[in-house]
Amino acid sequence: MTQVSDQDAAEAVNEQAPAADRPPTRLERFRRRRLLSHVSIMSKLILMMVLCSMLASAVIGGIAFHAGRTSIREAVFNRLTEVRESQTRALTAQVNDLRNSLIIYTQGGVALNALEAFTAGFDQLNNASVSPAQWQSITDYYSKTFVKEVEQYSGTKLDAGALLPATPAERYLQANYTAVRQNDDVAITIDDAHDGSQWSAANARYQNFFRQIVTRFEFEDALLLDGRGNVVYSAYKDVDLGTNIIDGPYAGSKLHEAYLKAMSANAVNYVGFTDFEFYQPAEMQPTAWMVAPLVKDGRTEGVLALQFPITKINRLMTFDQQWQQSGMGDTGETVLAGPDDLMRSDSRLFLENPQEYKAAVVAAGTPPDVADMAIRQGGTTLIQKITSPATVNAQRGETGTIITKDYLGQNTLQAYAPLVIKDSDLHWSIVAKVTTSEAFARESSFTKTMVLVTTGIIFLVCLLAIYLAQIFVRPIRRLESGAQRISAGDYNVAIPVETRDEIGDLTEAFNEMGRSLTVKEDLINQQRKENDDLLRSLMPDALAERFKQGEETISVEHPNVTVIFADIIGLDRLQAELTSEESLTLINELIRQIDAAADNFGMETVHTVRNGYLASCGLTVPRLDNVRRTVDFAMECQQIVGRFNSETGNDLRVRAGIDTGAVSSGLLGRPSVVYDMWGAVVNLAHQIKDGSPQPGIYVTSSVYDALQESLEFDSAGSVSVDGEAQPIWRLTERR
């Protein structure tokens, strides 16, 4: 039963799992290591330096980018917050200045005296009548001027007859003042209608006072209302002159409620401020009211009401349309919003390009008829919705900044806050905003700069890495080149040491290795030569070469070889009489002389065994006279032994057997290899030598037949070879 290890089982499970959810297997790790093993060290160095630089650049760049972006965003939000606070302070200061001025006017005697004079004049007109011509002028003004202007701005049809003045005083005043006015500029200059009435006398006395108020502070109108709610005076003599704010045609305006609050106020310095509304007498232009009571002896006699136009708010909120010079850029603006989510100021885009404004707000979800109405009205106040999280939060009394879409459908940065007006029921919100594309333009530029700088750094690091890697790898490549030269057999390699670091140490060690290899190569060559010499002394050169090439079975057939097998009689006795060292010295000297003679006669020594000496002629070098050379060598051996006897006083004799014919030679044995020669010729030569009791040179019939004409032989009997008698001959002398 096959046993499976826990690791193998785990890897088998991992192989079945998705590649992204499992750890790499051993095969995958091995493949990755193999892949890396094929990458050059220079590439690894470059990759390492680049990766480290990229990592460092990414970390440092990320920190710098985060800090820079945070700083830029904080600067943008802080700028918007400063604009919002600045606009809030400016608007509050403007209202407070007007409030203080109104308090001064109401607490002085002029306004109160004017109210008394106009009230008396108004009461005198309760029974006044107008001529048909005057009435016609009234109806013509309403139908041809006032109603057309209101319809133009509001987009709704009006019934002129329903708007005509109803009371005698109202008719009289509008006949003598309203119907004759050509425009506001003319109306404000009329001091006296010269009708002889008490009201005209009061107007001639006080018109300049109120004219200064409305023109210097840019109010739309100034009204005096008596304690019964009658509009007893109007600086611009508009259609609300003579009407009653309590039950008259304009009782539904915000002036009605403001009047009642002012009449019932107990505070000496009370000033009421209303929200904006479409006020019909002002041709449906957005209008707000500032009202203050006129008090005499602790009793409120009436109210001074100043008609606050939207132009004053717009001039402030739009920086008098100098957005660029005010630091608001191309898209920045500040707007006011009421609790009904409608604008209380005009849109910048509307003032710059109404048609572009219409296209943008309609695309953002505003109904087209609302956009058309804004174009008819000439502004977006009380028309354009500005619902956003910023205004919602501001209505809850919160202050802050946010990134959200605006009424134009653009992503914007918005700084919001509630706008608090003292002694008023206003719940306005102020929002300073700018599009994210413009607000973050510096951030985008900063991001591009960071990307370019980081990319540039990485590029320079890559170039530097390539250059440094080449410098670093240069000594390694020199070492590689030196190693290749050494592997090619050139050990005379010396690489200059240029550094004192680890590579310098490695270079010195490499050079030392080269020198050591040179010495060892010389020793090996010397040893190889000695081995070759030894090998050639043990076997023929041809067999030696074949043996060095690795051949294991070497055998050669030789058709014509003469073999001599000889021994020295008496050598055993000599060895017994002498010490081992002395006998070895004598024998080596004797063998040396015999080997020298063998070289002279072209004999090839096979081996020496105890007292025997085996040699041949014509074995490796074919010779036609190999028989004669062998016999001459045998006779030379006799002479060598004879000289030895004469020199040493010993009695040694040579006994040799010679035969000629085909033999075999080769290497025998493993692992100790011996060169030997075998065959019938070798055996017969050995038998002739061993079978002859007397010293001498014995030959076979083959040798005898070849040399009988040049040498004398005596019959020496015969030897038995494979049961057959073979005659042998003994050499006696030359002929």
Side-chain angles (χ1 to χ4, degrees):
M1 185 175 182
T2 304
Q3 297 294 325
V4 180
S5 66
D6 294 341
Q7 184 177 1
D8 292 337
E11 291 192 356
V13 173
N14 288 336
E15 289 177 356
Q16 298 176 358
D21 300 334
R22 60 178 174 83
T25 63
R26 283 182 296 183
L27 178 58
E28 291 173 338
R29 292 194 296 269
F30 175 72
R31 287 176 176 171
R32 292 176 185 174
R33 287 196 295 269
R34 285 193 62 188
L35 179 62
L36 290 176
S37 66
H38 292 291
V39 180
S40 66
I41 187 171
M42 181 175 175
S43 299
K44 291 178 181 177
L45 285 172
I46 294 174
L47 182 63
M48 179 183 66
M49 295 179 67
V50 171
L51 289 178
C52 291
S53 300
M54 289 179 65
L55 179 62
S57 299
V59 172
I60 297 174
I63 295 174
F65 174 74
H66 178 73
R69 186 179 68 173
T70 301
S71 176
I72 291 174
R73 290 198 171 194
E74 287 181 354
V76 173
F77 278 117
N78 290 339
R79 169 60 181 161
L80 281 179
T81 301
E82 291 173 1
V83 170
R84 181 200 68 200
E85 293 300 317
S86 174
Q87 293 292 78
T88 300
R89 289 191 298 270
L91 183 58
T92 304
Q94 185 181 70
V95 173
N96 288 335
D97 288 344
L98 294 175
R99 174 187 288 110
N100 292 333
S101 299
L102 185 56
I103 290 173
I104 292 174
Y105 297 145
T106 55
Q107 289 185 358
V110 177
L112 181 60
N113 293 336
L115 174 64
E116 292 176 346
F118 283 116
T119 300
F122 186 82
D123 290 342
Q124 187 185 34
L125 298 176
N126 283 335
N127 296 318
S129 60
V130 295
S131 66
Q134 289 178 319
W135 179 251
Q136 184 61 46
S137 66
I138 293 174
T139 57
D140 289 344
Y141 175 79
Y142 272 85
S143 61
K144 296 179 181 180
T145 303
F146 177 70
V147 170
K148 285 185 177 181
E149 290 179 354
V150 173
E151 288 179 349
Q152 176 184 353
Y153 290 115
S154 66
T156 58
K157 292 292 183 180
L158 297 179
D159 182 7
L163 299 176
L164 294 176
T167 65
E170 180 181 358
R171 291 174 181 171
Y172 184 87
L173 291 176
Q174 292 191 18
N176 286 278
Y177 289 93
T178 304
V180 298
R181 66 195 293 273
Q182 298 176 357
N183 51 54
D184 290 342
D185 293 337
V186 174
I188 195 68
T189 60
I190 300 176
D191 293 335
D192 190 356
H194 303 288
D195 58 338
S197 65
Q198 186 177 345
W199 193 95
S200 293
N203 186 69
R205 181 179 178 184
Y206 295 107
Q207 175 68 12
N208 185 60
F209 174 74
F210 291 106
R211 180 167 54 235
Q212 293 296 326
I213 293 176
V214 297
T215 55
R216 289 184 179 277
F217 292 98
E218 299 181 352
F219 286 109
E220 193 71 23
D221 202 354
L223 306 181
L224 287 176
L225 293 87
D226 63 11
R228 297 161 296 180
N230 295 315
V231 180
V232 296
Y233 171 76
S234 169
Y236 279 97
K237 313 301 187 291
D238 219 326
V239 293
D240 50 359
L241 177 61
T243 62
N244 189 283
I245 199 63
I246 297 176
D247 55 9
Y250 309 115
S253 70
K254 294 183 180 297
L255 180 59
H256 172 87
E257 183 177 356
Y259 166 79
L260 296 178
K261 287 184 177 181
M263 290 296 295
S264 61
N266 295 320
V268 176
N269 297 329
Y270 173 81
V271 174
F273 196 96
T274 71
D275 200 348
F276 282 95
E277 64 173 340
F278 289 121
Y279 187 57
Q280 195 175 71
E283 289 81 30
M284 299 300 289
Q285 293 297 309
T287 302
W289 297 94
M290 294 185 68
V291 296
L294 296 171
V295 181
K296 181 180 182 180
D297 299 330
R299 181 173 179 274
T300 302
E301 298 292 334
V303 171
L304 172 59
L306 299 179
Q307 188 175 342
F308 195 88
I310 192 60
T311 53
K312 296 177 70 66
I313 297 291
N314 278 331
R315 185 178 299 118
L316 177 64
M317 297 306 294
T318 63
F319 303 95
D320 201 16
Q321 299 190 28
Q322 302 296 314
W323 294 282
Q324 289 278 3
Q325 295 84 337
S326 301
M328 296 303 290
D330 295 327
T331 60
E333 65 174 327
T334 56
V335 294
L336 291 175
D340 52 4
D341 294 330
L342 296 177
M343 282 187 175
R344 295 302 190 268
S345 60
D346 284 341
S347 163
R348 172 179 178 174
L349 184 59
F350 176 87
L351 297 176
E352 291 178 334
N353 191 327
Q355 295 303 321
E356 184 177 348
Y357 154 83
K358 177 181 178 180
V361 295
V362 170
T366 298
D369 57 336
V370 173
D372 291 336
M373 181 177 179
I375 293 175
R376 286 196 307 270
Q377 285 284 99
T380 58
T381 303
L382 298 177
I383 298 174
Q384 178 61 54
K385 283 273 188 181
I386 191 174
T387 305
S388 72
T391 56
V392 172
N393 294 340
Q395 287 297 322
R396 291 200 295 257
E398 299 176 5
T399 299
T401 56
I402 193 173
I403 298 178
T404 185
K405 286 188 177 297
D406 64 358
Y407 64 95
L408 299 172
Q410 300 171 325
N411 285 324
T412 56
L413 276 68
Q414 299 186 11
Y416 58 88
L419 182 65
V420 178
I421 303 296
K422 184 180 179 182
D423 295 333
S424 72
D425 294 331
L426 297 180
H427 298 283
W428 287 355
S429 306
I430 183 170
V431 177
K433 68 182 186 68
V434 65
T435 60
T436 55
S437 58
E438 180 179 0
F440 296 150
R442 288 181 58 199
E443 180 181 328
S444 300
S445 176
F446 174 73
T447 302
K448 292 178 181 178
T449 302
M450 287 295 298
V451 171
L452 291 176
V453 170
T454 304
T455 304
I457 291 174
I458 293 174
F459 177 73
L460 293 177
V461 167
C462 290
L463 296 179
L464 183 62
I466 294 173
Y467 175 72
L468 294 179
Q470 289 177 340
I471 295 177
F472 183 81
V473 174
R474 189 177 300 157
I476 298 178
R477 287 183 171 172
R478 286 199 293 264
L479 289 173
E480 180 186 10
S481 177
Q484 291 174 349
R485 290 175 60 187
I486 287 179
S487 67
D490 181 11
Y491 300 122
N492 296 320
V493 179
I495 299 175
V497 180
E498 298 178 349
T499 60
R500 296 299 177 187
D501 54 10
E502 290 82 353
I503 294 181
D505 297 339
L506 178 61
T507 304
E508 290 182 352
F510 181 86
N511 292 335
E512 183 63 29
M513 180 192 70
R515 291 189 290 268
S516 176
L517 287 175
T518 301
V519 174
K520 290 180 180 179
E521 177 69 10
D522 293 340
L523 294 175
I524 290 173
N525 290 336
Q526 182 180 354
Q527 185 65 41
R528 185 181 295 114
K529 184 177 180 302
E530 293 176 356
N531 292 339
D532 291 343
D533 293 342
L534 177 61
L535 195 60
R536 286 184 173 87
S537 68
L538 297 175
M539 61 186 72
D541 290 347
L543 268 67
E545 289 298 327
R546 293 175 64 183
F547 178 75
K548 288 193 299 182
Q549 295 299 324
E551 290 191 40
E552 297 183 356
T553 304
I554 303 176
S555 176
V556 182
E557 300 293 334
H558 307 277
N560 184 19
V561 177
T562 300
V563 178
I564 178 172
F565 221 128
D567 58 10
I568 302 174
I569 300 173
L571 193 60
D572 290 341
R573 178 181 55 78
L574 182 63
Q575 291 176 340
E577 294 175 354
L578 300 175
T579 63
S580 299
E581 184 177 354
E582 292 174 339
S583 63
L584 182 60
T585 301
L586 292 174
I587 292 171
N588 285 340
E589 177 61 24
L590 189 59
I591 295 300
R592 184 189 64 76
Q593 295 180 21
I594 295 173
D595 286 340
D599 288 339
N600 290 334
F601 287 97
M603 300 298 294
E604 301 172 19
T605 302
V606 179
H607 60 75
T608 301
V609 180
R610 294 187 69 236
N611 299 335
Y613 190 91
L614 176 62
S616 65
C617 185
L619 185 69
T620 59
V621 181
R623 298 182 186 273
L624 296 177
D625 59 346
N626 58 71
V627 177
R628 182 57 182 264
R629 283 174 176 269
T630 304
V631 174
D632 289 346
F633 167 70
M635 290 189 293
E636 181 65 23
C637 288
Q638 287 178 330
Q639 294 178 8
I640 291 172
V641 172
R643 288 194 299 270
F644 178 78
N645 289 335
S646 300
E647 294 173 357
T648 61
N650 292 307
D651 185 17
L652 301 178
R653 296 288 185 270
V654 174
R655 181 174 58 191
I658 301 175
D659 190 13
T660 184
V663 299
S664 298
S665 67
L667 303 181
L668 302 176
R670 285 288 185 271
S672 297
V673 180
V674 177
Y675 176 69
D676 204 352
M677 186 170 53
W678 62 90
V681 173
V682 178
N683 294 336
L684 185 55
H686 185 268
Q687 288 180 349
I688 292 174
K689 186 261 303 179
D690 287 346
S692 303
Q694 297 298 324
I697 300 172
Y698 298 89
V699 299
T700 62
S701 296
S702 299
V703 177
Y704 171 76
D705 292 340
L707 300 177
Q708 62 178 339
E709 294 181 356
S710 59
L711 296 174
E712 290 186 359
F713 294 91
D714 293 335
S715 177
S718 63
V719 294
S720 178
V721 178
D722 296 330
E724 182 180 352
Q726 294 285 345
I728 60 175
W729 308 85
R730 185 174 182 275
L731 178 66
T732 57
E733 59 181 13
R734 296 178 184 271
R735 288 188 184 274

